[in-house]
């Protein structure tokens, strides 16, 4: 098997060498003038020299084209096409162009229409074979041309070969009836098969990974061979029809003979009846009757009357050697003695064989006996010249006719070609009046062509065309399927690459309707593909940002942007399509900061077909940036607080000394007033109490300053009373709230002990109180309420104000660092985020109570 696989790719070269050997033998036969070398059998058509020469060129062309010398092979194919085309042209033109004996003078012309000329079927097949050899490139066009031409030649060659095997006319319908030689048809089959094998090798090499690449060519071969088979079946049916016409013509010919002999027989029998009745009194009366017969029947040379002893007594006409048969005993004549005896014995009219008449000319004699009752009276005869008779009776235009008697020609009309007659000759016998003739009738080629139907030709053209179209359809389907697979693979790679990146990638049409999204888009936005496809990107982009961006673009472009497409084009006009930030909102409401970039997608006409949008999720980057900024602010704040703490510590130290002195003097003053009896004086007592109360307030402020002074270092947590922290914090705000007309209301449970860093809790409360103070600035009733109560597992502190409250659209942002609604210079947006961080650092909770009618912040600390 391995050896066969190795030799099979070059098997077409072996076939070409085989044909080259055969045609070399034929050419040698023409050179040495040996008929045995140019034809298989004497009754078969020979292969002419030009056919063998062109076969040799095609064989060498196949071999050379397989060794990268396809240009030489193409040159050979051009020579073959040109020479075969000239031979084909000679048939309709009707004269020789000198091609038939271009290389060698033909010595043998049996079985060919013209000496040395190949059959037209051979010439046409040779053209197709040359075309198949010429289209030797590995393009789809060349492959289809080669397959079509080579398969047609294989079909024609097969029909020519089978015509010899099964004895049917394989050349009918070609327009000429010189037959393709059997070894010519064999060479056509071999070379066309070699070309198909060579094509198969090329297709397999070009499509090693595609096992179905040869299927369209197999379909084309099967379709064309089936078409050629159907074509020739129709040709054979037409052949049978023409054979039937020839049979009908032969039957008509026999009817003409019957009619002619019937007239002669009837006339002769009527004359015999008159003889038997004694109507002819003398020769003159009989001669007058005979004269009318001779004048009426062409070819009737003489009428004779012989008595009962077979002695010729009367002859009409006597001229033209008629005297030679007077007194002749016809019974003793060897040419007619047998038929004379038969006529007498059977009493039936009979015809003699054809012989040389004594009165001149070759003909036959019709004898009729004369009986008077049972008594033999004599015998009448008519001598008919065969040539004249048949010329009168036989009308066979368009046919070659031979009538034979005992193997000898009675009459021959037209030219009878043995090779042509082998298929078209019709033979029948005419047996009447003792005649036993063989009628050989052969229609002329022109008559056959005239009666030929064009349906087989149309079927051939239509079938080949349909086969080519079906094969092309399958081939294009395979090409499209292969291209679709490649596109699908490319799309899968593209999809995989898009899904592997962390960027959010989505494509839209020209109206910003989403066509496709990648995996990151689905993951980050928490939407499925079905939910996103068909919608617009604006379903997940912050609408406030869109409105703000649209307003800005409308101002810059000077026109309204009523549609999504107009909005997108405005971004390209103003240059906002690259690296702009947008806030994306996921399905669950999560806000994602993204840097967006949009590109236009144009079709082959340069028109915008859609857009490609890429979003980079920078939420973590922004959070890190904000964290760094927050840490920077906290460092700055810490340094400021440290400075403030140092300054507060200094101030507290400086204030405590005078306060101690003032407090001491107040005590001394009270003693002196008591000694003088003035302690009961209400006016003096009120003044002393005011001084004492003021000293206590200043002492509380000093303690608050001391608590802030301790923020410059972290310190450890300690268990303290929350109400003390709140009272110390309120001391800072008391005068500020009082002077501004803000009512400060507090509800503090006693003994609320917590473990914390007091200065941080005080900082959170002070921040909430300041925010509440600012929130009531525009309210008609200005009130701030602080509550502290014990809950299960912890302590809850809340600060509420009578302000307008925080808008719902801002509630999600208030905890973000640097977010503020205050005017520039009144806040930097770190208070709430720092407070949240402090409480979370204590393991507590810090949140906005959204169920409250006004603004209410809650601090929950675990006990």
């Amino acid at each position: 098997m391995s050896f066969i696989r190795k030799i099979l790719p070059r098997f077409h070269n072996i076939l070409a060498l085989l044909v080259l050997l055969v045609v070399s033998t034929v050419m040698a036969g023409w050179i040495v003038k040996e008929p045995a070398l140019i034809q298989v059998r004497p009754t078969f058509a020979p292969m002419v020299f030009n056919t063998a020469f062109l076969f040799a060129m095609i064989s060498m062309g196949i071999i050379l084209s397989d060794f990268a010398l396809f240009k030489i092979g193409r040159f050979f194919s051009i020579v073959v096409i040109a020479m075969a085309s000239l031979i084909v042209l000679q048939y309709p033109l009707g004269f020789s162009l000198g091609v038939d004996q271009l290389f060698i003078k033909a010595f043998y012309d049996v079985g060919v229409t013209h000496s040395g000329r190949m059959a037209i079927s051979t010439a046409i097949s040779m053209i197709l074979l040359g075309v198949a050899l010429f289209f030797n490139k590995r393009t789809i066009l060349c492959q289809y041309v080669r397959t079509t031409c080579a398969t047609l030649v294989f079909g024609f060659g097969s029909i020519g070969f089978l015509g010899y095997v099964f004895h049917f006319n394989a050349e009918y319908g070609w327009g000429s009836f010189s037959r393709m030689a059997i070894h010519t048809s064999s060479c056509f089959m071999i070379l066309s098969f070699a070309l198909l094998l060579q094509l198969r090798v090329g297709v397999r090499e070009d499509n090693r990974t595609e096992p179905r690449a040869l299927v369209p060519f197999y379909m084309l071969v099967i379709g064309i061979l089936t078409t050629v088979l159907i074509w020739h079946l129709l040709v054979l049916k037409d052949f049978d029809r023409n054979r039937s016409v020839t049979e009908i013509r032969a039957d008509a010919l026999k009817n003409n003979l019957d009619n002619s002999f019937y007239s002669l027989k009837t006339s002769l029998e009527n004359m015999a009846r008159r003889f038997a009745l004694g109507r002819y009194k003398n020769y003159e009366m009989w001669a007058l009757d005979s004269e009318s017969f001779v004048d009426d029947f062409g070819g009737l040379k003489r009428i004779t009357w012989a008595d009962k002893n077979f002695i010729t007594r009367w002859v009409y006409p006597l001229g033209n050697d008629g005297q030679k048969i007077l007194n002749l005993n016809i019974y003793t004549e060897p040419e007619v003695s047998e038929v004379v005896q038969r006529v007498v014995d059977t009493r039936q009219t009979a015809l003699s064989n054809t012989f040389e008449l004594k009165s001149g000319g070759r003909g036959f004699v019709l004898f009729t006996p004369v009986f008077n009752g049972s008594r033999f009276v004599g015998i009448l005869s008519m001598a008919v010249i065969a040539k004249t008779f048949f010329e009168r009776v036989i009308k066979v235009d368009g046919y070659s006719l031979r009538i034979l008697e005992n193997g000898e020609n009675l009459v021959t009309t037209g030219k009878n070609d043995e090779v042509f007659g082998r298929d078209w000759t019709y033979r029948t016998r005419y047996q009447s009046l003792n005649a036993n003739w063989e009628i050989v009738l052969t229609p002329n080629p022109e008559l056959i062509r005239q009666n030929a139907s064009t349906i087989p030709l149309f079927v051939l053209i239509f079938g080949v065309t349909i086969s080519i179209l079906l094969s092309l359809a399958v081939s294009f389907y395979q090409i499209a399927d292969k291209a679709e697979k490649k596109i699908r693979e490319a799309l899968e790679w593209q999809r995989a690459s898009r899904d592997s990146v962390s960027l959010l990638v989505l494509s839209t049409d020209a109206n910003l309707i989403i066509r496709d999204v990648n995996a990151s888009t689905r993951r980050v936005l928490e939407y499925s593909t079905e939910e996103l496809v068909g919608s617009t990107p604006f379903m997940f982009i912050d609408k406030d940002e869109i409105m703000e961006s649209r307003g800005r673009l409308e101002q810059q472009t000077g026109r309204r942007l009523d549609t999504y497409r107009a909005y997108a084009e405005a971004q390209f006009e103003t240059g906002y399509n690259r690296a702009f930030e947008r806030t994306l909102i996921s399905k669950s409401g999560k806000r994602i900061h993204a840097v967006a970039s949009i590109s236009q997608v144009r079709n082959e006409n340069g028109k915008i077909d859609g857009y490609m949008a890429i979003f980079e999720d920078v939420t973590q980057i922004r959070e890190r940036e904000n964290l760094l900024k927050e840490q920077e602010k906290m460092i700055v704040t810490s340094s400021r607080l440290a400075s403030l703490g140092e300054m507060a510590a200094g101030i507290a130290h400086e204030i405590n000394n005078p306060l101690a002195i003032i407090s001491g003097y107040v005590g001394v003053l009270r003693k002196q007033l008591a000694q003088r009896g003035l302690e009961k004086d209400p006016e003096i007592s009120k003044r002393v109490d005011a001084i004492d109360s003021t000293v206590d307030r200043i002492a509380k402020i000093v303690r608050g300053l001391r608590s802030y002074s301790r923020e410059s270092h972290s310190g450890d947590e300690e268990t303290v009373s929350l109400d003390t922290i709140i009272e110390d914090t309120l001391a800072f705000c008391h005068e500020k709230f009082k002077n501004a007309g803000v009512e400060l209301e507090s509800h503090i449970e006693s003994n609320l002990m917590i473990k914390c860093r007091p200065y941080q809790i005080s900082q959170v409360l002070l921040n909430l109180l300041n925010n509440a103070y600012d929130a009531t600035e525009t309210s008609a009733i200005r009130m701030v309420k602080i509550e502290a109560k014990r809950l299960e597992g912890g302590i809850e502190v809340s600060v509420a104000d009578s302000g307008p409250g925080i808008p719902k659209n801002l509630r999600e942002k208030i905890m973000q660092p640097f977010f503020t609604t205050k005017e520039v210079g009144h806040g930097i947006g770190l208070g709430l985020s720092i407070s949240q961080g402090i409480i979370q650092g204590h393991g507590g909770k810090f949140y906005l109570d959204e169920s409250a009618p006004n603004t209410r912040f809650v601090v929950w600390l675990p006990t």
Side-chain angles (χ1 to χ4, degrees), residues 330-331 333-341 352-353 355 365 367:
I330 61 174
Y331 191 77
E333 292 296 321
E335 292 87 355
V336 297
S337 59
E338 183 179 350
V339 69
V340 168
Q341 183 63 49
S352 71
N353 290 336
F355 62 95
V365 181
F367 293 97

Side-chain angles (χ1 to χ4, degrees), residues 605-820:
N605 299 321
K607 294 183 178 180
I608 297 175
D609 194 40
Y611 299 92
M612 179 69 73
I614 298 176
F615 295 89
E616 181 183 2
D617 185 357
V618 295
T619 303
Q620 294 182 353
I621 297 176
R622 292 293 179 265
E623 288 178 353
R624 286 195 295 269
E625 290 176 353
N626 292 337
L627 181 59
L628 289 174
K629 291 180 180 179
E630 181 181 348
Q631 290 175 347
E632 291 176 1
K633 293 291 185 181
M634 290 179 68
I635 292 171
V636 173
T637 304
S638 298
S639 63
R640 289 178 179 176
L641 289 175
S643 299
L644 179 61
E646 293 177 1
M647 182 178 66
I651 293 173
H653 178 71
E654 294 297 328
I655 291 176
N656 276 335
N657 291 330
L659 281 180
I661 294 172
I662 294 173
S663 180
Y665 279 120
V666 168
V668 171
L669 181 60
R670 286 183 182 278
K671 288 181 180 181
Q672 290 179 353
L673 288 174
Q675 291 175 358
R676 295 179 182 180
L678 296 176
E679 73 275 7
K680 301 293 184 179
D681 188 336
E683 204 51 45
I684 295 174
S685 180
K686 182 179 179 182
R687 302 294 182 185
V688 173
D689 289 338
I691 294 171
D692 196 23
S693 176
T694 301
V695 170
D696 288 338
R697 284 188 58 240
I698 293 173
K700 289 182 180 179
I701 292 172
V702 170
R703 286 198 301 272
L705 288 175
R706 284 181 174 177
S707 68
Y708 272 99
S709 68
R710 296 173 61 186
E711 192 175 36
S712 59
H713 55 87
S714 58
D716 296 327
E717 291 183 348
E718 55 184 283
T719 302
V720 295
S721 174
L722 182 60
D723 50 349
T724 301
I725 296 175
I726 295 175
E727 289 180 1
D728 290 345
T729 304
L730 291 177
F732 279 107
C733 307
H734 187 271
E735 288 300 322
K736 176 181 178 181
F737 277 60
K738 182 179 179 181
N739 294 332
V742 178
E743 182 182 352
L744 181 58
E745 182 180 345
S746 62
H747 299 279
I748 313 297
E749 289 186 10
S750 59
N751 298 322
L752 298 176
M753 304 300 293
I754 60 172
K755 189 177 182 180
C756 65
R757 296 184 181 89
Y759 68 90
Q760 289 184 336
I761 302 302
S762 180
Q763 180 182 352
V764 170
L765 296 177
L766 183 61
N767 181 60
L768 292 177
L769 290 170
N770 286 331
N771 286 344
Y773 173 86
D774 293 337
T776 61
E777 186 176 358
T778 59
S779 299
I781 300 175
R782 305 184 68 184
M783 183 181 71
V784 176
K785 182 179 181 181
I786 182 169
E787 292 180 304
K789 59 184 177 179
R790 184 179 288 103
L791 296 177
E792 184 178 355
I795 295 173
E796 180 184 274
V797 182
S798 64
V799 177
D801 62 65
S802 61
I806 300 174
K808 290 184 178 181
N809 62 326
L810 300 180
R811 291 178 181 179
E812 295 180 354
K813 301 180 181 180
I814 57 176
M815 297 295 180
Q816 296 178 6
F818 305 104
F819 177 81
T820 181

